[in-house]
Amino acid sequence: MAETTGIINGSDLKVMLAASGGTEVLVDNLTDASISVTTEMKDTTTKSNAGYRALLPGMHSATISFSAMYASDATNGYNELVDFQINKTKLDVRFTHIVGSGGTENAGDERFQVEAYITSLDLNGGTEDNATYTVALDVVGTITREVIA
């Protein structure tokens, strides 16, 4: 497929993950996903800055978060993620673009490819409501953004 033109449908942004060195698999029953990349700024102000602050970019960091419906029989869901968290497993993670309900990334679009650890995993269930869970991942190492081949 070719690069998607126009505004991207948020439902097409998906998360795939696996234990480090494994083959990333789509997270089941995903309902939302986000990535945040930040740059810490270093203060380089000197007396010669005439009272104005001077800054230079420092370290980059990123977090990925997502929510999904809880199903105990999911292939890649809460049960697998809680094991990764408890065992302190480093994950290979893709924040990617998959059109519709398929499982194949859309060639020509872009994805983030990172390594991360689960830092937060919450399971929630309201009265007579769907059980859901939310996940926060802290990225370690290089943040790679690449065109999907």
Side-chain angles (χ1 to χ4, degrees), residues 46-75:
T46 65
K47 291 181 179 185
S48 62
N49 287 106
Y52 293 95
R53 192 167 137 190
L55 300 170
L56 287 174
M59 292 191 293
H60 296 294
S61 62
T63 57
I64 294 174
S65 59
F66 60 88
S67 298
M69 300 285 188
Y70 173 65
S72 60
D73 62 348
T75 303

Side-chain angles (χ1 to χ4, degrees), residues 4 10-11 33 35 41 45 61 87 91 95 104 111-112 115 117 127 135 146:
T4 304
S11 295
I35 185 168
M41 299 304 289
T45 307
S61 62
N87 293 314
L91 304 174
F95 188 90
T104 305
R111 69 177 173 215
F112 287 91
E115 292 182 316
Y117 288 98
T127 303
V135 180
E146 59 194 7

Side-chain angles (χ1 to χ4, degrees), residues 117-138:
Y117 288 98
I118 297 173
T119 55
S120 169
L121 178 58
D122 302 316
L123 179 60
N124 307 294
T127 303
E128 293 303 313
D129 200 0
N130 294 324
T132 61
Y133 64 93
T134 57
V135 180
L137 304 167
D138 274 358

Side-chain angles (χ1 to χ4, degrees), residues 23-34:
T23 301
E24 292 100 336
V25 178
L26 190 63
V27 173
D28 290 330
N29 306 312
L30 200 63
T31 58
D32 67 76
S34 66

